[in-house]
Amino acid sequence: MEKISILVTSGSREKLQMAGMLASVGAVSGSEVLVFLSMNALAPFVKDHADDVPVEGEIGRLLLDKQAPPFLQLFEQAAELGDARIHPCSMAMDILGVGRDELLPFLGAPLGLTKFLSEAQDAQTWSF
Amino acid sequence: MAERHQIDARGSYCPGPLMELIARIKQAGIGDELEVLSTDKGSANDIPEWVKKVGHEMVDSFQADGVWHVVIRKTK
Protein backbone atom coordinates (compact mmCIF):
# COMPACT_ATOMS: atom_id res chain seq x y z
CA MET A 1 0.00 0.00 0.00
CA GLU A 2 1.23 3.48 -0.86
CA LYS A 3 2.26 5.46 2.22
CA ILE A 4 1.95 9.20 2.64
CA SER A 5 3.42 11.04 5.60
CA ILE A 6 2.50 14.63 6.32
CA LEU A 7 4.52 16.82 8.68
CA VAL A 8 2.50 19.88 9.73
CA THR A 9 4.24 22.65 11.67
CA SER A 10 2.39 25.77 10.50
CA GLY A 11 -0.63 27.09 12.36
CA SER A 12 -1.95 29.12 9.42
CA ARG A 13 -5.39 28.34 8.09
CA GLU A 14 -4.15 28.01 4.51
CA LYS A 15 -1.50 25.40 5.33
CA LEU A 16 -3.76 23.47 7.70
CA GLN A 17 -6.41 23.39 4.98
CA MET A 18 -3.96 22.06 2.37
CA ALA A 19 -2.61 19.46 4.79
CA GLY A 20 -6.16 18.37 5.65
CA MET A 21 -7.09 18.10 1.97
CA LEU A 22 -4.05 15.99 1.25
CA ALA A 23 -4.67 13.76 4.28
CA SER A 24 -8.34 13.18 3.52
CA VAL A 25 -8.07 12.61 -0.22
CA GLY A 26 -4.96 10.47 0.20
CA ALA A 27 -6.62 8.34 2.87
CA VAL A 28 -9.83 7.74 0.93
CA SER A 29 -7.84 6.91 -2.20
CA GLY A 30 -6.28 3.86 -0.63
CA SER A 31 -3.10 5.27 0.86
CA GLU A 32 -1.88 4.73 4.37
CA VAL A 33 -1.60 8.26 5.76
CA LEU A 34 0.43 9.38 8.75
CA VAL A 35 0.05 12.97 10.00
CA PHE A 36 2.42 14.46 12.56
CA LEU A 37 1.27 17.71 14.18
CA SER A 38 4.04 19.75 15.73
CA MET A 39 5.03 23.35 16.52
CA ASN A 40 2.20 25.84 15.80
CA ALA A 41 0.11 23.20 14.03
CA LEU A 42 -0.88 21.52 17.27
CA ALA A 43 -2.78 24.35 19.01
CA PRO A 44 -5.79 24.27 16.61
CA PHE A 45 -6.31 20.62 17.60
CA VAL A 46 -6.74 21.54 21.24
CA LYS A 47 -10.47 21.43 22.02
CA ASP A 48 -12.25 24.75 21.28
CA HIS A 49 -9.13 26.35 19.78
CA ALA A 50 -9.90 26.05 16.03
CA ASP A 51 -11.41 29.55 15.88
CA ASP A 52 -8.11 31.14 16.87
CA VAL A 53 -6.33 30.09 13.68
CA PRO A 54 -4.62 33.02 11.90
CA VAL A 55 -4.72 33.50 8.15
CA GLU A 56 -1.80 34.30 5.85
CA GLY A 57 -3.73 36.15 3.18
CA GLU A 58 -6.75 36.38 0.92
CA ILE A 59 -7.38 32.67 0.50
CA GLY A 60 -7.35 32.14 4.25
CA ARG A 61 -9.95 34.86 4.69
CA LEU A 62 -12.08 33.54 1.84
CA LEU A 63 -11.99 29.98 3.17
CA LEU A 64 -14.12 31.21 6.02
CA ASP A 65 -16.63 32.94 3.76
CA LYS A 66 -16.99 30.17 1.19
CA GLN A 67 -18.28 26.69 1.83
CA ALA A 68 -14.87 25.08 1.96
CA PRO A 69 -14.85 22.08 4.30
CA PRO A 70 -13.31 23.15 7.65
CA PHE A 71 -9.80 21.76 8.04
CA LEU A 72 -10.66 19.94 11.26
CA GLN A 73 -13.45 18.12 9.43
CA LEU A 74 -11.01 17.08 6.69
CA PHE A 75 -8.58 15.58 9.20
CA GLU A 76 -11.41 13.85 11.03
CA GLN A 77 -12.75 12.40 7.76
CA ALA A 78 -9.26 11.21 6.87
CA ALA A 79 -9.27 9.14 10.05
CA GLU A 80 -12.90 8.02 9.89
CA LEU A 81 -13.37 7.34 6.18
CA GLY A 82 -9.84 6.30 5.28
CA ASP A 83 -6.71 4.79 6.67
CA ALA A 84 -5.21 7.87 8.34
CA ARG A 85 -3.53 8.24 11.69
CA ILE A 86 -3.10 11.73 13.09
CA HIS A 87 -0.61 12.08 15.89
CA PRO A 88 0.31 15.02 18.10
CA CYS A 89 4.00 15.70 18.68
CA SER A 90 4.83 14.88 22.28
CA MET A 91 7.30 17.78 22.49
CA ALA A 92 4.68 20.30 21.29
CA MET A 93 2.23 18.93 23.86
CA ASP A 94 4.80 19.46 26.60
CA ILE A 95 5.54 23.03 25.45
CA LEU A 96 1.82 23.89 25.27
CA GLY A 97 1.17 22.12 28.53
CA VAL A 98 -1.74 20.10 27.20
CA GLY A 99 -2.69 16.52 27.98
CA ARG A 100 -4.15 14.02 25.58
CA ASP A 101 -7.66 14.53 26.97
CA GLU A 102 -7.46 18.19 25.96
CA LEU A 103 -6.91 17.30 22.30
CA LEU A 104 -9.63 16.45 19.81
CA PRO A 105 -10.65 12.80 20.12
CA PHE A 106 -9.69 11.72 16.59
CA LEU A 107 -6.04 12.32 17.35
CA GLY A 108 -3.95 9.27 18.11
CA ALA A 109 -1.31 8.76 20.77
CA PRO A 110 1.50 11.30 21.15
CA LEU A 111 4.45 10.54 18.92
CA GLY A 112 8.09 11.48 19.21
CA LEU A 113 10.15 12.64 16.25
CA THR A 114 12.24 9.49 16.18
CA LYS A 115 9.15 7.31 15.88
CA PHE A 116 7.70 9.59 13.20
CA LEU A 117 10.91 9.42 11.16
CA SER A 118 10.92 5.68 11.50
CA GLU A 119 7.31 5.38 10.34
CA ALA A 120 7.82 7.89 7.52
CA GLN A 121 10.61 5.84 6.00
CA ASP A 122 9.75 4.83 2.42
CA ALA A 123 6.69 7.08 2.45
CA GLN A 124 5.89 9.93 0.14
CA THR A 125 6.48 12.84 2.51
CA TRP A 126 4.92 16.30 2.51
CA SER A 127 5.38 19.19 4.88
CA PHE A 128 3.33 22.28 5.60
CA MET B 1 -32.28 -4.43 -5.82
CA ALA B 2 -29.89 -1.64 -6.86
CA GLU B 3 -30.88 1.87 -5.89
CA ARG B 4 -29.95 5.35 -7.08
CA HIS B 5 -28.85 7.94 -4.53
CA GLN B 6 -28.44 11.64 -5.15
CA ILE B 7 -25.88 13.69 -3.23
CA ASP B 8 -26.42 17.42 -3.39
CA ALA B 9 -22.96 18.94 -2.89
CA ARG B 10 -23.68 22.18 -4.74
CA GLY B 11 -21.85 25.15 -3.25
CA SER B 12 -19.21 23.00 -1.57
CA TYR B 13 -15.55 23.29 -2.50
CA CYS B 14 -12.92 20.61 -3.11
CA PRO B 15 -12.69 18.06 -1.60
CA GLY B 16 -16.17 18.44 -0.09
CA PRO B 17 -18.17 16.74 -2.88
CA LEU B 18 -15.74 13.81 -3.01
CA MET B 19 -15.83 13.36 0.76
CA GLU B 20 -19.64 13.47 0.76
CA LEU B 21 -19.66 10.80 -1.94
CA ILE B 22 -17.32 8.59 0.06
CA ALA B 23 -19.37 8.95 3.22
CA ARG B 24 -22.49 7.88 1.30
CA ILE B 25 -20.88 5.11 -0.71
CA LYS B 26 -19.99 3.28 2.48
CA GLN B 27 -23.71 2.98 3.27
CA ALA B 28 -24.75 2.03 -0.29
CA GLY B 29 -25.15 -1.51 -1.59
CA ILE B 30 -23.11 -3.16 -4.33
CA GLY B 31 -24.56 -2.12 -7.70
CA ASP B 32 -26.14 1.07 -6.35
CA GLU B 33 -25.62 4.24 -8.34
CA LEU B 34 -24.67 7.52 -6.70
CA GLU B 35 -25.15 10.83 -8.45
CA VAL B 36 -23.15 13.77 -7.12
CA LEU B 37 -24.38 17.27 -7.91
CA SER B 38 -21.49 19.71 -7.75
CA THR B 39 -20.75 23.29 -8.75
CA ASP B 40 -17.04 22.69 -8.18
CA LYS B 41 -15.34 21.89 -11.49
CA GLY B 42 -12.31 20.46 -9.70
CA SER B 43 -14.51 17.84 -8.10
CA ALA B 44 -16.02 17.01 -11.47
CA ASN B 45 -12.52 16.06 -12.58
CA ASP B 46 -11.36 14.55 -9.30
CA ILE B 47 -14.28 12.19 -8.68
CA PRO B 48 -13.70 10.20 -11.93
CA GLU B 49 -10.00 10.03 -11.06
CA TRP B 50 -10.85 8.67 -7.59
CA VAL B 51 -13.29 6.15 -9.11
CA LYS B 52 -10.57 4.89 -11.46
CA LYS B 53 -8.07 4.59 -8.63
CA VAL B 54 -10.25 2.68 -6.18
CA GLY B 55 -12.03 0.52 -8.77
CA HIS B 56 -15.66 1.62 -8.87
CA GLU B 57 -17.40 2.32 -12.19
CA MET B 58 -18.10 5.62 -13.91
CA VAL B 59 -21.62 5.75 -15.29
CA ASP B 60 -22.00 9.32 -16.52
CA SER B 61 -20.64 12.83 -16.16
CA PHE B 62 -22.27 15.89 -17.63
CA GLN B 63 -22.96 19.53 -16.91
CA ALA B 64 -26.44 21.04 -16.93
CA ASP B 65 -27.35 24.59 -15.92
CA GLY B 66 -23.97 25.15 -14.31
CA VAL B 67 -24.16 21.99 -12.22
CA TRP B 68 -21.98 18.93 -12.71
CA HIS B 69 -23.69 15.57 -12.45
CA VAL B 70 -21.23 12.77 -11.80
CA VAL B 71 -22.78 9.31 -11.62
CA ILE B 72 -20.87 6.29 -10.39
CA ARG B 73 -21.75 2.68 -9.61
CA LYS B 74 -20.49 0.94 -6.48
CA THR B 75 -18.79 -2.29 -7.56
CA LYS B 76 -17.32 -3.70 -4.36
Side-chain angles (χ1 to χ4, degrees), chain B residues 1-54:
Chain B
M1 185 173 167
E3 295 179 25
R4 176 114 169 198
H5 311 270
Q6 194 173 73
I7 300 159
D8 189 351
R10 288 176 293 180
S12 180
Y13 285 82
C14 174
L18 173 64
M19 301 308 289
E20 288 189 40
L21 167 65
I22 290 159
R24 288 287 294 276
I25 207 169
K26 285 182 175 284
Q27 301 157 0
I30 306 290
D32 283 3
E33 290 183 357
L34 297 100
E35 178 180 21
V36 182
L37 307 186
S38 174
T39 47
D40 174 49
K41 188 173 187 304
S43 295
N45 293 327
D46 280 353
I47 290 172
E49 185 65 28
W50 176 81
V51 167
K52 188 167 77 176
K53 183 159 189 179
V54 302

Side-chain angles (χ1 to χ4, degrees), chain A residues 2 21 24-25 28-29 31 66-69 74 77-78 80-81, chain B residues 10-16 18-20 22-23 26 50 53-54:
Chain A
E2 187 180 56
M21 290 166 66
S24 57
V25 175
V28 300
S29 298
S31 296
K66 308 277 183 176
Q67 291 183 55
L74 292 171
Q77 286 176 328
E80 286 184 355
L81 300 176
Chain B
R10 288 176 293 180
S12 180
Y13 285 82
C14 174
L18 173 64
M19 301 308 289
E20 288 189 40
I22 290 159
K26 285 182 175 284
W50 176 81
K53 183 159 189 179
V54 302

Side-chain angles (χ1 to χ4, degrees), chain A residues 41-116:
Chain A
L42 184 60
F45 293 82
V46 177
K47 287 174 185 168
D48 303 323
H49 273 54
D51 291 340
D52 302 337
V53 173
V55 300
E56 288 182 346
E58 186 179 6
I59 291 283
R61 284 189 292 275
L62 289 171
L63 283 170
L64 290 172
D65 298 336
K66 308 277 183 176
Q67 291 183 55
F71 66 87
L72 286 179
Q73 179 182 314
L74 292 171
F75 283 106
E76 189 169 15
Q77 286 176 328
E80 286 184 355
L81 300 176
D83 187 10
R85 290 181 294 130
I86 301 160
H87 293 278
C89 167
S90 50
M91 180 279 287
M93 287 177 67
D94 289 345
I95 296 281
L96 282 177
V98 296
R100 196 173 170 188
D101 58 345
E102 293 170 81
L103 298 173
L104 294 172
F106 60 86
L107 266 59
L111 211 61
L113 188 55
T114 306
K115 179 71 171 166
F116 170 71

